[in-house]
Every structure is written in structure tokens, then in C-alpha cells.
Amino acid sequence: MKKPRLILACLLVCGAVSAWAEDGYRLWLRYDRIDGQSNRNEYRRPTQALILATPTGEESAIIKSARSEVARGLDKMLGRKQTKVHVVTHAPDPALGEDGYALENVTVDGEAAVRVRANSDAGVLYGVFEVLRRVQMRESLEELDVVSVPKIDRRLLNHWDDLNGFVERGYAGFSLWRWYELPEILDPRYTDYARAVASLGLNGTVVTSVNANALILTPDYLKKVAALADVFRAWGIRTYLTARYSAPIEIGGLETADPFDPAVQAWWDAKIDEIYEHIPDFGGFVVKANSEGQPGPHDYGRDHAVGANLLAEPLAKNGRDGIVMWRAFVYDFEDDTDRVKQAYNQFVPLDGKFADNVLVQIKNGPLDFMPREAFSPLFGATPQTKQMVELQITQEYLGASLELAYLGTMWEEVLQQDTFVQGEGSTIGTITDGTLHGHELSAIAGVANTGTDRNWTGHVMAQANWYAFGRLAWDHELGAREIAIEWAQLTFDANAKATDKIVNLLMSSRETVVNYSMPLGLHHIMERGHHYGPGPWVEGGRPDWTSPYYHQADTTGIGADRVASGSNAIEQYAPELQALWGNLETVPDELLLWFHHLPWDYEMRSGRTLWNELAFRYQQGVDEVRAMRETWTSLRGDIDAERWDHVRQRLAVQEAAAIEWRDACLLYFQQFSKRPLPDGVELPAHDLQHYIDVNRRYFPGHPGDN
Amino acid sequence: MKKPRLILACLLVCGAVSAWAEDGYRLWLRYDRIDGQSNRNEYRRPTQALILATPTGEESAIIKSARSEVARGLDKMLGRKQTKVHVVTHAPDPALGEDGYALENVTVDGEAAVRVRANSDAGVLYGVFEVLRRVQMRESLEELDVVSVPKIDRRLLNHWDDLNGFVERGYAGFSLWRWYELPEILDPRYTDYARAVASLGLNGTVVTSVNANALILTPDYLKKVAALADVFRAWGIRTYLTARYSAPIEIGGLETADPFDPAVQAWWDAKIDEIYEHIPDFGGFVVKANSEGQPGPHDYGRDHAVGANLLAEPLAKNGRDGIVMWRAFVYDFEDDTDRVKQAYNQFVPLDGKFADNVLVQIKNGPLDFMPREAFSPLFGATPQTKQMVELQITQEYLGASLELAYLGTMWEEVLQQDTFVQGEGSTIGTITDGTLHGHELSAIAGVANTGTDRNWTGHVMAQANWYAFGRLAWDHELGAREIAIEWAQLTFDANAKATDKIVNLLMSSRETVVNYSMPLGLHHIMERGHHYGPGPWVEGGRPDWTSPYYHQADTTGIGADRVASGSNAIEQYAPELQALWGNLETVPDELLLWFHHLPWDYEMRSGRTLWNELAFRYQQGVDEVRAMRETWTSLRGDIDAERWDHVRQRLAVQEAAAIEWRDACLLYFQQFSKRPLPDGVELPAHDLQHYIDVNRRYFPGHPGDN
């Protein structure tokens, strides 16, 4: 008779406590207790014990982490005091690769157990996270037949964090790394960060910005990095740094950073030795060289390969497996070639010249993380050179952390994009995972969207992008929808119908952003500096940082002419794609103005004129955000009030942003089209000057006041 | 039979949940459920209902806040579903002033109730917080006989937050105000901030830095401020801004900001009207003018009174009660008078010229928030001018958020300091509360130590400083120890013995910092720029920003000569203090080198030479930090592991900092004293150059990289 009352008391107390906690901090690792004894028993039964089977059977730091996660997760979900965890030895299994794992049901001492088998402690940890994920998603742990092996070796986050705590293109507060407290003080959040990273199977993190600061390589800072690396290592995460090419001058006291200078070579050799003393499993460097003002080998008349190999050699010394990720995001102020052609032009001649432990790190598009671009033609164009894709998790051009844009769909599009460089099936995924050209070493990078905000990513729904990147880094063939379903189930305690709505919201969101900001292949028409909001009028300074350079709107029409009549950037693609995209009959609407300059009255497949279609797409974007708001309103009560309200507020901002984009862009382009807005497109509330005058000062993620 | 098992289950779950929450976020408003039914009954019995008695009996926003806090606090502590709260009307009671309250036991409908009676809704809210505080501290709610009335009208936090999110002299992350999200998005943390502020009886907040940015006065930003003000208002908190004196030029398009210019007067008049349209209860301005490069009336040959009155007049228009807090922190580069004399010299001649709604805001010391200074002689020196004290909660010169320094003892020393300006008992407290010179309007300001860090203040123990400031703002006669006891009880669930240890740790901590950094009246010998760590060698640039300007060390001795033989700054004090401090027989050791330059062999009261005493004090500081560490170690298990470890890590840093201070300063001064370190003082591990070379780049709270 007392039972119900006591349960009620418990619920009240737990409810009150968890009211403090529904702030998104727990990400997809919520581990809420499963409702109902019989539901809990369903998972208690097959998990009388967990068997962690590794080649060594040792109680390493990573195994300890796995144990702690079992306590934090399984015990809490099952309301159990302490799950038995046995660490055992087993023979290596080539089928599991380095980081893969198998989950199996076994019986030990008459008790049902789940065995997590792997060739490395990290593999075991990933397997444990999968067990926990299955329980969280209420998937069965009986009749397990799971083998999961990552397709890519180095699965990295790139943090664009400066040493003063500022995050470049960061919209979730400031840097997680509290450099002035390190190495003495370890923020417990470092561990929670590492847990989240490891839970996705990511195994590396580059803690400093590509716009590198040589100070990170000084002894004082290396001690700080080592303290972070010690935390991360226990979760299978290796630490990487960015290398400022001019470091030998700035902190080494040399007069040059010329890679052919023996003193420079000796300096890097000694410096890298020093790094390994601090961080024995140091992962290597990301380098942004001769790009946007950064120093590099061109300063001394040397090419990228020479530049990269300078660092690569000591990273491979003494059995080390450090790597150089040399960014292909390069374009010269002096070079008047179409900006999107320049990386290809610089790197293709260098094929075969890079050291074995160098990967060329290529942004998915040849321009810069636009809401949609054609893929970078450099992918697959240097078969003797290892290539990796760089995706941007932080939403520099997709609404910062104010707007909902699930990027899983964009990345699915990118990773499954066929380059045709070795015939059909030459996807960017198979280039990144090394299989297309038979490279042993492979890597993938995502520019992190994390910061000090309590919910890690600013917008709670942006957690889905961190999650999706991690899952795709493990397996680039996963679908964006299945990842969205997983994330939504793990993140919200919603019923199936509500989960469905959330997933549908995610799935259409990126296309919605494309529609209200840069539809039909338009690109780079955002505001200067902070890159938030419309700026098709942005002019002045170097041409390739203006908007007209890209939209080319004039009284005759709009769009970048990248076929033979123009820059002919299309020639950098495989013939199959040249045929597809070069032909107005076959080019998809989504890339129309990326490749073609067309008259305002050009007749679209829809039957509308180009002008009317453009207006229609902008309106559609606004309409879609309104529908998103309605969907969200309908979810009230289906998820916790705190996160519901968090998203509600931001969707209101997103509608206003969509309207601003639509009105600003249509008014601007109307100057050239000289045509009225078609029926069904709402009239702007202001004149063009109003939108031009919008001045967002101190927008985050960009230094300075605009 | 089932009962124990269920309780256990509940404990397990609650424990697991609260493991996420012991991060300091809840401050002194923890509201943990009281252990034991009988203990809970002790508070359930007298609180069958709460009666909120106000003159209007209306359900205002503030009353709703009070209700929500009862639900959040009382209900949770008592494990009760919903305490009955009745709002009733009662006649005003002059004894309670504007914000005071009375707590009384009453019987309503045969039920025991606690009545909170006040003349304003804010008073009721403060009373509710006192009820909650008493329950948290396990004080009885029976036989209540409580009347509490604040001594000061405007009890303010000053935030030194810039619009880009940076907090000047902020060591707890970045600004709480997310300007780019406002006004559309309201971070739930704004409400938690307001709750904490209101719980202390503070009733105003200046949201922007004294180094003001005119942008805050533009229409876009006023909308943002208004959104914050709306949140704060429901917690009895009025919003204030900082006014940049040159705003009429920068955002008004005028060519001058001369206070005698009619266009300037009209601009401020209209601007202040506009502010009140957005924020009907706008509190007024803090102004830093003609100080450290800020613009001000001197730029036009006008004095501070003219400058302040320009803003004061429109703030008092139409029955408004806005105020100007004009800072006395002024010193001129061109003026070679001892810096500590300059504010007095500038303001005393202006006495009687300030408008009624102007207060001169004076830092406690005449220099700048040193670990210890003589008080500012300006206090009480302008009897016709309202004066208020500005205290610094953020630890600019007391170890940032890396070191434990409870400032309650410092502020007690300051507020109870006798100025003797109207004979004995002319304390700074009575000047600040207006009673000494019969001023109706009174105010006090504390420079906030809050930021985005999860625990609000960076160092968990620095929460005690926020708490102490709030309590002293309410009643400047409270003792530092009683405040420390309250805070420790509210903040940690420790037994009496552990609480005692924590309180003792707090109580001695400030003197410890004085000992290891600036003992015997030394001041301003910290590192340049970020102000963290020792810098007695800092020279170059304007003299009053160097260290030798203050310590005056040479082969003959050390100390600032501020008696007749020197700058004679002492003449600005009352004769009683001139006699006390000017005489080597009576001046306390603590202010010795503040007022006197003395030979190295000067014999101290201890019998030691000055040099040996100096060395001894530095060593004592180190020894005291070591004792703090021992005390803390002994607390393991008495408080939660998360906060215990948080403090443990920082105390280790503090010991290293104390050693650095000792060694750096003694090696530096030894160049002049040319004497050996006495027995008992540890030898430095490095030479002087080592300490000079320490270069803390990117230390928080200071722009730039050092």
C-alpha cells in the first residue's frame, strides 16, 4: 500500500533535480533510468555481466574509462548497483581491424553476458558505447550479431580555437580549453568532452585553430597540451596541433622558415621530438599554409609538397605514426583565375610528391562550406596523394547557432557524390577512406561546433550535427535519416510520433536554409566578416571576397559562368559530370547558377522564368521555416519544456532571418531583373537600403566588431 | 517490507542525477531535500501556508517570482507537493522602509502560517528568500520575530562586460549577456542570475562596462537591454547602464559632447526619454569620465559636476528617479601629484555643485582595489555631496579566480573604517548609507565576479564574495564571519566541524594573500596588463603605472613617503588619522610602507629589521597557503567530491603563486637591501631573471595577449 506513495515521492524529487539538468549538457548520453521494472529486466537479463575481451586483457586507462561509462550509463539506466565487468584476453581478429568491435551474447558461470570483443582497448570502448546506445534506444541486447569496423583510420575534430579563448566561427560560447588554468587545473568538462567524442568513435582532436599561433609549440604550452592529451588518451583520443609555418622564426629565433634551410629542418626535427616527449601518442599537424595571409612554403618559392614533407619526416621518425594534414583551402589574391579552380591548379601538379604520412585535407566544396556547392574537383584528381575531406560542423554559412540546419543530409550528399575519376562509384567517401586509390592511411575532419555553452553547441539541435559527423566518420555509408533517428531517440524522451516529427524537421532543414539564403546554386552572397545574414551587395576590397564576383547579376541575368564561355571551371571535373552539369537540359536546378549565367527570363523546368523561380524559392524557404515552427509548436509537452522553449525561441529568429534573406536578396536582384515579384511571393516590408543598413556588431565567431 | 528497497532505489537515482549537478551552479540556493521525515516536519508544521502581505495585495510579476521560488525551494526541501501561498493586503508599515520585511508566525483558518510582510513586492520577495535561507540553515521558523530593513537604497552590481562578450577583469568565463541573441532569445540563465541577485537583496545591476561603448544607447541595443530588464524586473532588480560621455558625437552625429552645448543637452534629454520608453524603471547611469582615456567634461574645460548634472537632469525629469553614479576613480597623466591624492583634489572643490540625484562613486582605496590600501580620503570630505563606495568583487589584484581570497574581511575593514570627519563613528558605512551627512539617497556598488563559467565565479569559493557583497550591501554592519558562516552552511552540506574549517579558511585568506603579495602596506607591485603575479620590476610608460612609483625601493630603504617629507598625501585625512598613521610609533604594520619610506634596518615592533620582517611576511604567506591546503585535504569526504577536487586543484596553484610572489619580490628587493634572507625563509629556486621572464600570455580579463 505504501509503494505508490513512495514512488511518487521519488518522482517528485527526481523531477525537481532533473529540472536543473534539462539544459542539453548530457547530449546523446542521457542515460535516464528506464521506466518500468519489466522494461529494465529486459536489459538486466542479458547483461548479468559485461565481458571486455582485448588482446592483452589489461586494465588500461581506456578500459577504466569503459568501466566508468558502464557505471554511469548501464547501471543508471537499469537501476542496478554495479554491473559486473570482466576483462579477458582473446586472440586478435583481423576482421575487426584496429578499432572495430564485435558484440556477442555469451554465458559465463551460468550467467548471460554481453561480450565486447576488439583488437584494441579503444575498440572495446566503442563497443561499450554501442551497448549503451542500444539500451538507450531500447533495442534488444539478445541475439546480438554485431560487427562494426570504421572505414576511416583518423576520425578527427578540428577546433578553430584561439589561445585567448575565442573560437573562430564559433557560436557556442568560447573555447573549452582553459589554457591559463592548464596544466595544473583540469576542468571536469574535458572528460565529458572526451566521453562525447569517444561515444561517436572519433579518435582524434586538433585543439588549436588552423590560423595557427606558434606559441602553442613553446615549452609552457606543450605542458598544457600534454595535460589535455592525458585526459583524452584515456578515451582513445589522440591529440593533434596546428603548425604555424613561420614558427622557426617566431619562437625559434631563426631568420627564415625556408623548408630547404638545414637550420629550419633541424628546428622542426627537435621541436617534434620535444612534442613527443610531452605527448607520446601525438597525432600530428594540420597546416593552413599560404592561405588567407598565413605563412607557408610559397614565401620561399617552395611548393606545398616540400612544405608538408618538412614536417612529415620527423613525424614519421623512430617508428612514429604522426601525420600531416595539409589543407587544400588555398587561393591567391594575385591569381585572377576563378577562385574555385585554384586549389586544383596548385595541387594536381604535385601528385606523387607528398610523403607517405601526408594527407591533403580538402573542404567538401571548392569555395568555402557554402550551404550548397558543387564538390571540390580536387577529390580523386591526385591518385598518388592521400586525400581527406574536411566538413564544417559549425554553421558558418548556415545560420550560426541561431538557426536549425541538420547537416547530415549535406554530408550524405557529399560523401556519396560520385567523382567518376575511376569510373562509376568513385565516391568522395571511397576517396576519403583510401580504398579508391588503395591508400592504407585515411582520415576525415570536421570543424567542431562546440564551445562553453552549457549545451555544447549553442543550438540544442546543432548537437545533431556533431553526432552526425561522428557517425559518418565511422561509416560514411550511413544514411542521414538513420543517423537523425538515432540522435533524436537518444536526445529526447519522445514518443514515436514526436520522434518522427523531429526527424522530418531535421531532414528538410538544410534544404530550407538553401532555399531562403542561396537557392538554385547561388553562393557567397552573405554579409561580410561575420558571414551571418544576406549581403549580395557586398563589394570593395579583393574581388574574391565580394558577392558580385559570385552571383554575377546584371541586367542580362544572373549566375557564375563556369562553362566554356566563362571560367570553364567545369573542365576540372570528370567528363561524365562535365556532360551532366554543362548541359542546361541535365544540370540540376540546385547547381544551375553555380555553373551557368542565365537570362532572367530563362525558362526553368517548373515552367517559371528564372526570376520567378528565384523569388519562389526564397518564398518557399520562408514558408518552410513557418512550417517548422508549426511542427515545433505541436511538440509542446512531448519533450521537456526547457529544450522545447529553447528551440521555439530560435525558430522564431529563424523565420525572421529567412524573411530578411528573401527580402534583401529579391530587392537587390530586382535592381537587375527589373521585374515584379510573382504572385505568392510576399512583398518586402522595407526598401533595399534598410537591409543594407542592418549592421550586426559583435556577432560571435569573428574577431572585431562586425 | 518494500519500503527500504524503494527508498534505496530512489537514493540511487537521485544520487546519480545530482552527480551532474554538483558543479556549483546552484550557488547558495541549493534547496536539497531535508533528510528525515521528522526534520522535514519541523518546517512543514509552521509553514502550512505562506502569507505574502503587501500594501496592494496584487499578484504582480515579483509576487509570481516569490511563488516560483517557494515552489523551487520550500516545496523541494520539505518534499511537499505545493505550499499554499496567499497574497493579502496590509497597511503600510513605516518601520519596514521601502524594501524591508517582517517575518511573523500567524494562524490562518486554524493552520500555522508564516507571514511575510513588506511595503513593496520586492520586500516580500526578500522576506521569502530569508524564509528559505532559514530552512536551508536549519534555523527554526517558529517564534519568528524578524524585521530586516536595508540601510542602503540602491544596492548594485557593476558588470564590466563588453558588448563582444569579453569581461574586463573577469575570470569566470565570458559575459552572461548574449547580446547577439537578444532581444528575441532569453537565456534561462538570466532568470537564475536574477534569482541569485535578488536572494541577496541586491536591487540593481549595471550591465555594461565603465569603459563604455556608445552602441548600447542605440535603438537596436536598447531593445536588447529592455529584454534583460524585463527579466530582472520580475525579481525586483532595476537595470542601469554606463554612459559614454562622447556618445552624442559617436552615435548622435553631433560635433561636440560639451555639456554646455544646447544640442548636446537636447540629445541626452531625448536619449534618456527614449531609454525610459524601453525601460520604464530605468535606474540610471554609471560614468567613468576623464579617467584612463575615457572622454569626459574636462575635454571641454568643464568640471565633473557640470558633467554629471548634464545627465542627472533628464534622469530626474517627469518624476523619474534615475541617478548618476559619477566615478571618482580619476587621475591625470599630466598631473604629477601623487596619484592617490588626485581624486580628493579634483572633487573636494566641487562639493555642493552636484545635482540631487548624483552620487560620487568612490573605490574603497585611493589607488585601485589593492589587497590592502588606506581608505580613500575623499570619503566624508564632501558633506554636501552624496557618496557611495565601490567595492571590487572580482579579484583583479587578489589572485583572479585561481586563488582563494574571501573579501568579506576586507570589506568589513573598509565599511567599519572610521574617517573621523564628523568625529568618532564617521564610518565609511555611515557615509555610504547617507546617514552621516543626512542624505536621503544612498547607494553601494560591487564590481561583479560573474561570468559564463558553470559555477558563475570561476573559483567555487569566490561565490562567497558575491554573497558577502550582497549581504553587506543590505547591512554594512554585518560581520564578515557571520556572513562566511551563512555562506558555508548554504553552500556545502557539511557537518559543523567541517563548516568551521571552511569558515576559518575563508576568514584568514585575504590576509594570507596580502602576506604573500603585498605585505606591510606595499601596493601596486603586480605584473603589468593582466595584473596577475609579481611585477615589482615593472617600469616604462607613464610613471603611475610602474611599480617603483609605489614601492620606492632603493639602497636606503623601501616604502612610499606620504607624510610631510614626501607627497604628504596623509594631509587629506582627518587629524586623528594623521596623528595615528603619521607617527611611526602608532602606524599599524599593515600600512607602514603605504605612508612611510623606511631604511632596511628599521626596527619593527617584532624586533626584526624591516628587511627581515618583509621576508618573514612573504614566507608567512606561503606557509599559510600550505596550511590551507592541509585544511582542505582534511575536508575530503566532508563535502562532495566534485567541488572538493575543484578547490584542491586551485589551492595547489595558489601555493605555487605564493612561492612565486615571495621569491620574485624578495630577489627583486634584495638588489637594494643587499642583505641575506633571514633564517626560516626558504631560498628561491631560481634567479630574479627567471621570475621577470615569466610571461603569462592570454591571461583572462585583459584584452590583448598579456
Side-chain angles (χ1 to χ4, degrees), chain A residues 318-332:
Chain A
N318 302 336
R320 292 171 189 158
D321 65 350
I323 61 174
V324 172
M325 291 160 283
W326 192 267
R327 288 173 97 234
F329 179 64
V330 294
Y331 57 103
D332 282 343

Side-chain angles (χ1 to χ4, degrees), chain B residues 22-36:
Chain B
E22 288 302 353
D23 51 21
Y25 186 78
R26 293 186 289 166
L27 295 163
W28 45 85
L29 303 172
R30 292 169 57 75
Y31 301 145
D32 276 342
R33 190 168 191 244
I34 296 174
D35 279 342

Side-chain angles (χ1 to χ4, degrees), chain A residues 17 178 186 213 453 649 698, chain B residues 178 186 213 453 649 698:
Chain A
V17 173
R178 301 169 67 96
L186 294 175
N213 185 329
D453 277 5
Q649 294 188 65
Y698 305 112
Chain B
R178 301 169 67 95
L186 293 174
N213 185 329
D453 277 6
Q649 295 189 65
Y698 305 111

